[in-house]
Amino acid sequence: MPHESLTRFAIIMLVSFSAVLSAQREFDTLAHLKPQASDDTQARAVGDLLTRLIGQRAGDFIVSVNRSLAQANGSPDACELWSAKGDKIAVVGSTGVAAAAGVYTYLKYFCNCHVSWTGRQLNVPSPLPPITGVLRISSPHRFRYYQNVCTQSYSMVWWDWARWEQEIDWMALNGINLPLAFVGQEAVWQEVYLSLGLNRSEIDSFFTGPAFLAWNRMGNLFRWGGPLPQSWHLKQLYLQYRILDRMRSLGMIPVLPAFSGNVPEAITRIFPQANVTKLSPWSHFNCSYSCAYVLDPRDPLFQRIGALFLSQLLKQFGSDHIYNTDTFNEMTPSSSDPTYLSAVSQAVFTSMTAVDPQAIWLMQGWLFVHDAAFWQPAQVRALLRGVPLGRMVVLDLFAESVPAYSFTQSFYGQPFIWCMLHNFGGNSGLFGTVDSINRGPFEARRYPNSTLVGVGLAPEGIEQNAVVYELMSELAWRREPVRLDKWVSLYAARRYGSSHQNLPAAWRLLFRSVYNCTLPGYKNHNRSPLVHRPSLRMAADLWYDPRDLYEAWRLLQAAAEPLMAVETFRHDLVDVTRQALQLLVTEFYQEVRRAFQGQQLQELLTAGGVLVYDLLPELDRLLSSESHFLLGAWLERARSLALGDEEARLYEFNSRNQLTLWGPAGNILDYASKEWGGLVADYYARRWGLFVAALVECLDRGRPFKQETFNRAVFQVEQDFVRSRREYPSTPVGDTYEIASRIFLKYYPQAMKKLQEASGFSAGGLHRV
């Protein structure tokens, strides 16, 4: 589409919201949550961002920040752009974030450019395309939130400053102004606990290793994967200084942590009279690493510890007056008495306001969805209303699938943020709920007496399915849903910088199938047999018609040769091919199972042989050829943070264990599965090889297959991988086009044949592959 048409589209779809009367309730209690940096500082920060993004072309943009612009546009955040002399574009935003989002809107819809976790396409035209009149964009949402508390562990744990800098730039371009800032808090906690009389070994036995800190912070785990080296504390502390400085310079409002009551066991040695409760085990862990000690918020010691931590935190990092902590995250309270629950939340909030009288408590609302049986209306209301109205903001964390605002009467008056969770564990695999997210925020605003104050992105893991996050981020700056088919066609054009007709056609197919799950409450855990410990009882249902995925695969492959130098296309060709092979793994698994159950040894050997000795090795070669799918890069990042071999071993163990066993005994096995080069060959393929060999042996000897016996054997394979120090390439190996073409020619005809043989649809709208 030529830029003149893009201009009309942008002006029509991204008009000012100044005349729109928002249904959201305004909370004066939140008015102080605003950028602390001066307008000039924010403008300079956006200019620096553009230099990092487009180099010398940054000089083609004249950026300024004027906070009064939002009021003039009648919305919380706004930006105006127009053509200036010398083929330049003038940009003025009410905040640095608004200015950055305005520039990215222009780059997308006027220059056909694209920025994502999985590649950039920044062929900026020269001169810059002109704007007719003034392009105004604004957001009806005061807050655009980002991160899940788990994102810090599943995706960000090994990041250095260079990677954080890229992410903060991405946040600004996508209009995010309320990000979590949790790095470095263990260094503060160590000082607090030392001041209370705990010794270093007691503190070391409390903290988990780096890859599991999210669950230590939430009170689910302790000790596992630890102890944390002192060098870790120091590096994370200084990293947090840089993160906060950059976030604030762009006009963001960082969310700092607060105290939830989770304490080391040694607190009972120092304060034997404290009201400390030992909780039940979390998930599939026992009390060696779980059964957290929780200090009753009504105990005076709770106020003392909470105030000590927050005082030290603010001394180190300053404050923007908003803090996250989560009581009872995936843990059942000791009492369902509403009086008790109200007293708990009141005490938690008091521990914040004792240090910061302007404190706002940001709380994840996941507990109400995770344990709906406990959190009945009386209990939810008591917990929420223990805090003065407007002094707590609730994250409706999984609103695209299970919106909690609708069964809590808009959180009983507390302001909330509609969030898209989307991804659990950072799993690979194409997935989305685009119809739901295209409607959901607008329905939340129209809800009777809605207390909506923002929208957000809350994935457990990132760097996957970039299209879903770009759509959700853009919806925060719109006043009505988009036409998804048109939106994704434009997305394809700018992501690849190409007008090839196959590209929008492929993406329209993806958007109507794999990216449009409509099953109520569906959670995006990659359920493919490929990434799970093999058994004879593995599910094989899909939420989409695989024919759409295979046809999108064919269209991308047919357009591939001239586009292989484009980073974004190369990534997506690998990703869609990976998804197609994931489907074929399920097909071959079913053939293996049928052959075993029918006692057909030759058929078992044939199907199992193709799976183990050809399909999975080809998948590993494909993934190893693309920079975003490398196990070696993940492991190298972990080792690079170490001072010495002992730390390197600890960090590598953490990184391998999280991906696989997730605990000492496969406690949360394969939850954080990834389809990466090296991991497929040395972990998943080895498990499948052992499984097929076990079935063959059972048929050959006339024995039944015993899952428990196999589990003991395969656990050794899994442990061997976690303990291994084998190095993997951290840069791509092989010719992606050659490998992808070979796979397509080999397996696309088989996919079509298997579809013809398939039994069709099963009940409930699922597709059987």
Side-chain angles (χ1 to χ4, degrees):
M1 184 180 291
H3 76 261
E4 290 83 0
S5 297
L6 286 171
T7 301
R8 289 195 297 272
F9 177 78
I11 292 174
I12 291 170
M13 297 304 295
L14 296 168
V15 294
S16 169
F17 300 125
S18 58
V20 177
L21 295 177
S22 172
Q24 84 182 52
R25 176 177 171 182
E26 291 297 327
F27 287 91
D28 292 338
T29 54
L30 304 178
H32 63 292
L33 300 182
K34 56 188 178 182
Q36 303 300 310
S38 69
D39 290 355
D40 287 345
T41 296
Q42 294 179 59
R44 284 194 299 272
V46 176
D48 292 342
L49 184 162
L50 293 179
T51 299
R52 291 189 293 274
L53 188 69
I54 55 177
Q56 293 182 346
R57 298 301 304 278
D60 293 346
F61 293 88
I62 305 168
V63 178
S64 62
V65 171
N66 182 348
R67 62 189 65 205
S68 66
L69 185 67
Q71 185 175 2
N73 278 269
S75 62
D77 228 355
C79 181
E80 295 182 351
L81 303 94
W82 64 91
S83 291
K85 292 181 180 179
D87 295 322
K88 296 182 184 295
I89 298 296
V91 182
V92 58
S94 55
T95 63
V97 166
V103 171
Y104 188 42
T105 297
Y106 174 82
L107 289 173
K108 287 196 295 186
Y109 286 105
F110 287 73
C111 302
N112 224 27
C113 290
H114 174 77
V115 178
S116 76
W117 296 312
T118 51
R120 298 176 175 187
Q121 192 286 110
L122 288 168
N123 187 17
V124 182
S126 183
L128 290 175
I131 297 173
T132 302
V134 177
L135 174 65
R136 295 183 178 90
I137 71 165
S138 58
S139 175
H141 302 287
R142 176 176 286 187
F143 303 116
R144 284 88 58 195
Y145 170 78
Y146 178 49
Q147 290 181 53
N148 185 300
V149 293
C150 298
T151 322
Q152 298 270 329
S153 290
Y154 281 131
S155 295
M156 300 169 170
V157 55
W158 310 122
W159 285 5
D160 57 11
W161 168 243
R163 181 62 186 86
W164 265 107
E165 184 173 56
Q166 292 176 10
E167 193 70 8
I168 297 169
D169 286 352
W170 178 88
M171 293 180 203
L173 292 169
N174 284 278
I176 291 159
N177 68 350
L178 190 68
L180 283 186
F182 268 27
V183 172
Q185 63 177 284
E186 282 69 35
V188 179
W189 274 119
Q190 180 175 252
E191 293 305 309
V192 168
Y193 289 133
L194 286 171
S195 73
L196 289 170
L198 278 71
N199 60 48
R200 187 66 57 80
S201 64
E202 290 170 331
I203 298 170
D204 285 347
S205 68
F206 175 63
F207 293 139
T208 63
F212 304 97
L213 282 173
W215 302 277
N216 181 243
R217 294 163 179 172
M218 291 185 285
N220 306 128
L221 283 182
F222 57 87
R223 189 181 296 128
W224 174 247
L228 288 177
Q230 287 304 303
S231 65
W232 174 268
H233 293 308
L234 189 62
K235 285 186 175 183
Q236 295 295 296
L237 193 65
Y238 281 96
L239 183 59
Q240 176 76 332
Y241 294 148
R242 301 186 76 172
I243 290 169
L244 289 171
D245 181 67
R246 181 60 56 79
M247 286 179 172
R248 288 167 175 157
S249 72
L250 285 161
M252 297 178 187
I253 305 165
V255 180
L256 295 176
F259 181 49
S260 68
N262 175 40
V263 292
E265 180 183 2
I267 283 289
T268 60
R269 176 182 67 82
I270 306 296
F271 303 100
Q273 303 305 316
N275 186 1
V276 176
T277 300
K278 184 178 181 180
L279 299 181
S280 300
W282 173 73
S283 193
H284 300 289
F285 283 83
N286 60 30
C287 288
S288 297
Y289 300 105
S290 185
C291 304
Y293 288 80
V294 176
L295 179 60
D296 191 310
R298 299 167 299 178
D299 191 299
L301 183 60
F302 186 101
Q303 300 300 321
R304 180 181 172 186
I305 294 177
L308 273 172
F309 174 69
L310 206 57
S311 296
Q312 183 66 17
L313 193 79
L314 302 195
K315 179 181 177 181
Q316 291 284 350
F317 304 134
S319 176
D320 296 81
H321 308 298
I322 184 163
Y323 310 94
N324 167 259
T325 190
D326 295 297
T327 55
F328 313 127
N329 180 75
E330 298 190 2
M331 298 182 294
T332 303
S334 59
S335 171
S336 62
D337 183 353
T339 303
Y340 164 76
L341 295 171
S342 182
V344 165
S345 59
Q346 182 179 9
V348 172
F349 180 66
T350 300
S351 74
M352 299 178 191
T353 55
V355 176
D356 181 357
Q358 294 184 289
I360 301 294
W361 178 4
L362 181 76
M363 187 187 79
Q364 292 190 139
W366 174 249
L367 70 171
F368 306 135
V369 173
H370 179 262
D371 191 2
F374 178 90
W375 292 102
Q376 296 295 302
Q379 285 70 37
V380 176
R381 181 183 175 89
L383 187 73
L384 296 177
R385 295 299 288 268
V387 177
L389 280 181
R391 300 298 297 273
M392 169 188 279
V393 177
V394 184
L395 300 175
D396 198 347
L397 209 68
F398 195 28
E400 80 273 28
S401 293
V402 187
Y405 76 84
S406 61
F407 62 80
T408 59
Q409 298 179 34
S410 205
F411 293 98
Y412 298 106
Q414 293 289 16
F416 75 95
I417 295 174
W418 191 103
C419 292
M420 177 190 76
L421 201 162
H422 179 262
N423 182 277
F424 291 81
N427 297 149
S428 306
L430 305 184
F431 178 81
T433 55
V434 293
D435 269 350
S436 175
I437 67 173
N438 195 34
R439 298 190 316 268
F442 307 99
E443 292 174 351
R445 290 187 65 194
R446 294 192 298 269
Y447 187 77
N449 300 312
S450 176
T451 54
L452 180 75
V453 293
V455 294
L457 311 172
E460 287 191 350
I462 59 170
E463 300 178 314
Q464 41 71 33
N465 292 295
V467 65
V468 179
Y469 296 88
E470 180 149 319
L471 174 62
M472 186 66 230
S473 297
E474 191 171 308
L475 290 171
W477 295 81
R478 291 180 178 262
R479 61 185 177 95
E480 60 187 17
V482 302
R483 276 186 52 191
L484 288 172
D485 58 343
K486 190 169 187 177
W487 186 90
V488 80
S489 296
L490 292 170
Y491 173 86
R494 65 177 179 262
R495 181 159 170 85
Y496 309 131
S498 170
S499 59
H500 196 296
Q501 63 183 2
N502 282 20
L503 305 178
W507 273 99
R508 286 193 294 269
L509 285 167
L510 294 173
F511 249 41
R512 83 180 192 189
S513 58
V514 69
Y515 280 117
N516 194 27
C517 180
T518 58
L519 298 175
Y522 188 86
K523 295 178 182 178
N524 179 27
H525 301 287
N526 190 342
R527 291 172 167 82
S528 169
L530 167 60
V531 293
H532 289 276
R533 180 187 281 175
S535 78
L536 291 173
R537 298 184 177 182
M538 304 179 82
D541 290 328
L542 302 173
W543 65 91
Y544 62 96
D545 188 338
R547 290 173 291 191
D548 290 332
L549 187 281
Y550 288 138
E551 176 61 9
W553 181 26
R554 185 191 69 79
L555 289 169
L556 291 178
Q557 183 63 44
E561 189 168 12
L563 291 170
M564 292 308 294
V566 179
E567 178 189 15
T568 47
F569 180 85
R570 192 169 59 249
H571 172 277
D572 291 356
L573 178 65
V574 171
D575 209 14
V576 172
T577 304
R578 178 208 50 73
Q579 187 79 11
L581 294 190
Q582 179 178 287
L583 293 179
L584 283 165
V585 168
T586 301
E587 291 283 1
F588 281 106
Y589 159 67
Q590 291 179 318
E591 289 183 18
V592 165
R593 183 171 61 185
R594 284 194 298 268
F596 176 77
Q597 292 170 341
Q599 299 186 15
Q600 299 168 313
L601 181 58
Q602 188 57 50
E603 287 81 355
L604 171 57
L605 287 169
T606 300
V610 172
L611 174 62
V612 174
Y613 298 110
D614 191 82
L615 194 154
L616 290 175
E618 287 281 47
L619 175 58
D620 192 79
R621 282 188 282 270
L622 176 71
L623 297 168
S624 297
S625 74
E626 215 292 311
S627 62
H628 295 90
F629 296 91
L630 300 178
L631 171 64
W634 169 257
L635 298 180
E636 184 178 89
R637 271 187 175 164
R639 289 192 296 261
S640 71
L641 297 184
L643 294 181
D645 189 61
E646 184 178 351
E647 286 186 19
R649 285 179 179 274
L650 177 70
Y651 295 168
E652 183 167 355
F653 173 84
N654 269 253
S655 60
R656 287 172 177 260
N657 184 271
Q658 187 205 84
L659 297 174
T660 54
L661 289 173
W662 214 121
N667 308 69
I668 315 181
L669 183 67
D670 299 320
Y671 183 93
S673 64
K674 310 288 189 297
E675 292 171 32
W676 286 345
L679 190 61
V680 168
D682 280 3
Y683 185 71
Y684 300 126
R686 286 191 64 199
R687 294 200 305 191
W688 279 104
L690 188 65
F691 179 67
V692 171
L695 295 181
V696 169
E697 183 179 7
C698 287
L699 281 189
D700 191 47
R701 299 189 179 185
R703 296 176 180 173
F705 175 76
K706 294 184 178 180
Q707 186 69 45
E708 289 185 6
T709 301
F710 174 74
N711 286 349
R712 287 194 294 271
V714 79
F715 181 61
Q716 294 305 311
V717 172
E718 294 159 346
Q719 277 192 316
D720 287 347
F721 176 82
V722 170
R723 293 169 177 167
S724 174
R725 297 295 303 278
R726 177 179 177 180
E727 294 187 6
Y728 297 87
S730 57
T731 56
V733 176
D735 185 315
T736 302
Y737 178 70
E738 178 185 336
I739 299 167
S741 299
R742 182 176 68 241
I743 289 172
F744 181 83
L745 291 172
K746 188 187 304 186
Y747 282 107
Y748 180 78
Q750 291 196 45
M752 294 298 98
K753 181 181 178 182
K754 291 178 186 300
L755 279 179
Q756 291 174 358
E757 297 170 351
S759 59
F761 302 102
S762 65
L766 294 172
H767 297 259
R768 206 179 295 281
V769 296

